[in-house]
Amino acid sequence: MRSKRKETVKSVVLAILVLMSLTLSYLIITYQPDYEIFTKRTTQKSVESDKNSLLNFLIPDSVVKNYEGSREEAIVQNSITKVASVDAIKDKKVLKDLLSVISDSESTESRVRNRNIEDITSNNVEKILINYQVTLDSALVKPLFFSEENSNISLEFDTIVLLKDRPNMIYLYKKDDKNYLQITLKEEIYGKVNTMFNEKKQSYAKYSLNNRFIYLKESDEDNVIDEYSAEDVNLNKLAKDIFEKKDNLRISNEDEVTDGYGILRSINNRLLYTNPSNEGGKEVGATVAINNTMSFLELGYVGDTNYQLTTALEGITIFQEAHKESIAFSKDGFADIISEDNSSGIYKLTSPKKLTKTYLSSKEAELYSVEKTEYVINYLYERVNLKEVSDIVLGYDKVYNKDRNSFSYIPAWYVKYNDRYISFKKLKEMIEQFKSFLQKSNLAPNTIESYVWTVRYFIEKYPIINKQNLIAY
């Protein structure tokens, strides 16, 4: 009797185990991991960045509106082709305000979709595109767009799109990638952004250039030179912000501060931060370099000056000062921030010693001092290898006036060659002077063109002409 009862218990236990095994097998087979939803892991470090700090350094290149049913001309390869006239905004202050409005919204869910963004966006729907020049990491903009507790799962993007028919959605994606980040908001955002856009929009020509688009003003307007007062950066204050061990700061002299690891010094027109202990790290990718640089800049480099991220290479990140509808350049180092880093962190960062402060006055630029848009495009098409060109901008030369302690912003064209901006005027002068010299030497036209091509090739690879680059060439 006892043996029979024991066998019965065994049979019941075995049946339960078999049932549990079958249930577990079913769950394993049918389980779909919800890897698409961004959830916070307890082992991950949550970094809360200040929104205003991010906005100062994450100003996009442009915001463009695509209307329902709009059409574009066919793209011609190896050329600069105007494909459409569009409504757009490039004023940096307005772009910053638009981004701020989006960042004020509250999200409820963020998902990565393993689909092509073209499945939901096309030229047949009304949408607003926010374009960046370089590829960013979604973890970088977490404080701007993610209200819920999200992990720093990496998704690269260079475009943000808002759709009229999905007014409570934000989409982040990288062109030609087959996935995108979808952010659901509590409230509709498209209407707010669209209203702001309609108030500030202007007409731009949309050009195709090497599988990307650039936007230039439809009509050439009067060019204006703006003047602003200048202000020195407080070296000691900046040092206290960026060095972790603030109590151990040692001031060697008026131009140098150190915490025993990093060194912040003033050299000519630049502030130079170096950390020799970080120089031995491994090379990092462009998006990692951007994230490292942004985290470092938020420590104390944030002021009233806005910057646009223009270049991101492996271990090198460059921000150009934003001014009006474009970016500024300075041969004396007053208009950019350049960061070099690796897996150990930032080991070298240079930034302007003087910053723009208060608006003083404006005056019209001299007649014909700025080339017409059509002239610049045609010249580049005829004289330059367009495969090396990634951007054309009517920017500003930022020039310091020592007597007035002020900066002048002078309109000037710049061309982005091989990921570095070069003055169009200087580029043209170099090519034309060399061509003129060859013509005076009574060389055959084909020989002249061959030599001119050689110069163009050198400029594309080495933006600066010096002995070191000439030897390398």
Side-chain angles (χ1 to χ4, degrees):
M1 184 71 178
R2 181 179 296 176
S3 176
K4 186 177 181 180
R5 183 180 299 173
K6 186 176 181 181
E7 291 299 323
T8 301
V9 172
K10 286 183 178 180
S11 298
V12 172
V13 172
L14 180 61
I16 294 174
L17 290 174
V18 170
L19 181 61
M20 291 177 65
S21 177
L22 291 173
T23 303
L24 183 60
S25 298
Y26 172 78
L27 291 174
I28 292 174
I29 294 172
T30 60
Y31 176 66
Q32 295 293 328
D34 201 7
Y35 62 89
E36 293 181 331
I37 299 182
F38 284 14
T39 55
K40 183 180 178 182
R41 294 171 174 80
T42 56
T43 58
Q44 289 178 323
K45 181 180 179 181
S46 178
V47 181
E48 293 298 328
S49 302
D50 182 74
K51 286 186 178 181
N52 291 329
S53 300
L54 278 174
L55 290 173
N56 280 349
F57 291 102
L58 282 180
I59 296 176
D61 180 64
S62 61
V63 173
V64 182
K65 187 173 182 179
N66 185 95
Y67 296 93
E68 184 177 356
S70 62
R71 296 187 178 184
E72 297 181 353
E73 299 294 332
I75 296 175
V76 179
Q77 296 298 323
N78 300 320
S79 70
I80 308 175
T81 310
K82 180 182 175 181
V83 296
S85 295
V86 298
D87 288 336
I89 296 174
K90 295 195 72 175
D91 184 283
K92 304 307 175 184
K93 290 185 178 180
V94 178
L95 294 179
K96 182 179 178 180
D97 291 340
L98 280 172
L99 209 60
S100 179
V101 168
I102 298 175
S103 70
D104 288 339
S105 58
E106 187 175 352
S107 63
T108 58
E109 184 181 68
S110 304
R111 287 179 177 269
V112 172
R113 297 290 190 183
N114 296 318
R115 298 165 53 190
N116 195 315
I117 191 67
E118 296 299 330
D119 292 344
I120 59 172
T121 65
S122 67
N123 286 339
N124 295 321
V125 300
E126 182 176 316
K127 58 187 176 183
I128 295 176
L129 296 163
I130 302 174
N131 305 304
Y132 284 91
Q133 275 202 24
V134 301
T135 300
L136 302 175
D137 192 312
S138 60
L140 179 65
V141 297
K142 171 185 170 182
L144 296 182
F145 302 131
F146 307 156
S147 301
E148 73 276 18
E149 294 291 342
N150 299 287
S151 67
N152 289 330
I153 296 177
S154 175
L155 181 96
E156 294 185 343
F157 74 96
D158 56 20
T159 307
I160 302 172
V161 63
L162 310 177
L163 302 176
K164 181 182 179 181
D165 58 357
R166 301 187 184 191
N168 67 324
M169 296 285 193
I170 301 174
Y171 299 91
L172 281 66
Y173 68 94
K174 182 180 178 181
K175 297 179 184 69
D176 300 325
D177 271 10
K178 294 185 178 180
N179 52 31
Y180 60 85
L181 172 60
Q182 172 185 300
I183 304 173
T184 305
L185 307 177
K186 280 188 176 182
E187 299 179 354
E188 297 182 358
I189 189 63
Y190 186 88
K192 294 180 182 179
V193 174
N194 188 50
T195 299
M196 291 184 65
F197 180 90
N198 290 334
E199 292 175 354
K200 302 293 184 179
K201 66 182 180 182
Q202 291 184 308
S203 181
Y204 284 82
K206 180 179 181 180
Y207 292 89
S208 68
L209 176 64
N210 294 327
N211 296 321
R212 59 176 297 157
F213 297 108
I214 60 173
Y215 302 90
L216 302 174
K217 278 287 188 68
E218 282 275 43
S219 58
D220 292 301
E221 301 178 352
D222 294 334
N223 293 295
V224 176
I225 299 175
D226 300 314
E227 185 178 10
Y228 291 77
S229 64
E231 179 183 60
D232 286 335
V233 175
N234 188 315
L235 186 71
N236 292 333
K237 182 179 182 303
L238 178 60
K240 291 180 180 179
D241 288 333
I242 66 175
F243 289 126
E244 294 181 3
K245 299 180 179 180
K246 300 176 183 178
D247 296 334
N248 295 339
L249 293 184
R250 297 194 299 271
I251 302 175
S252 302
N253 52 58
E254 293 182 357
D255 296 325
E256 182 176 307
V257 182
T258 179
D259 67 343
Y261 298 94
I263 304 170
L264 180 66
R265 58 168 64 97
S266 173
I267 301 178
N268 299 323
N269 301 320
R270 305 283 280 174
L271 295 178
L272 173 64
Y273 168 85
T274 56
N275 191 331
S277 61
N278 288 342
E279 291 185 4
K282 298 180 180 179
E283 192 175 74
V284 296
T287 53
V288 175
I290 293 172
N291 289 7
N292 292 344
T293 300
M294 292 289 294
S295 298
F296 186 81
L297 291 175
E298 290 171 18
L299 296 176
Y301 284 87
V302 179
D304 296 330
T305 305
N306 296 319
Y307 288 89
Q308 181 177 321
L309 180 57
T310 58
T311 302
L313 306 173
E314 292 183 350
I316 299 178
T317 307
I318 302 176
F319 292 85
Q320 294 292 150
E321 180 184 337
H323 182 68
K324 288 188 172 180
E325 297 182 351
S326 192
I327 48 182
F329 303 87
S330 170
K331 63 180 181 180
D332 297 317
F334 289 119
D336 58 26
I337 296 176
I338 303 175
S339 169
E340 299 178 45
D341 77 320
N342 51 41
S343 58
S344 298
I346 304 292
Y347 62 85
K348 182 179 180 181
L349 187 142
T350 58
S351 61
K353 184 178 178 180
K354 292 181 180 290
L355 301 178
T356 299
K357 189 61 177 175
T358 307
Y359 170 77
L360 298 177
S361 64
S362 295
K363 64 179 181 180
E364 289 188 8
E366 293 182 7
L367 190 63
Y368 306 124
S369 62
V370 183
E371 298 85 354
K372 299 292 185 181
T373 304
E374 292 80 5
Y375 175 81
V376 174
I377 290 176
N378 290 334
Y379 187 91
L380 293 174
Y381 175 74
E382 294 174 358
R383 305 294 180 89
V384 173
N385 180 8
L386 294 179
K387 292 181 180 180
E388 301 294 339
V389 179
S390 56
D391 193 22
I392 306 168
V393 298
L394 179 53
Y396 296 88
D397 283 327
K398 185 178 180 181
V399 180
Y400 178 65
N401 186 327
K402 186 176 181 180
D403 295 334
R404 292 173 56 83
N405 189 33
S406 65
F407 287 116
S408 293
Y409 290 82
I410 305 171
W413 286 98
Y414 277 79
V415 181
K416 195 173 187 181
Y417 268 112
N418 198 25
D419 291 319
R420 292 296 181 95
Y421 281 99
I422 305 173
S423 166
F424 172 76
K425 196 178 295 291
K426 290 183 178 179
L427 171 66
K428 179 188 170 186
E429 287 176 358
M430 292 168 60
I431 293 176
E432 295 302 320
Q433 286 176 6
F434 185 61
K435 187 174 182 179
S436 176
F437 170 78
L438 295 176
Q439 288 172 341
K440 292 178 182 179
S441 301
N442 295 321
L443 295 174
N446 289 341
T447 304
I448 292 175
E449 287 304 317
S450 176
Y451 286 164
V452 170
W453 180 89
T454 302
V455 172
R456 290 201 303 264
Y457 184 80
F458 174 87
I459 294 171
E460 290 161 8
K461 299 300 179 183
Y462 305 97
I464 299 175
I465 297 180
N466 55 31
K467 183 178 179 180
Q468 181 180 356
N469 287 342
L470 286 170
I471 292 174
Y473 179 74

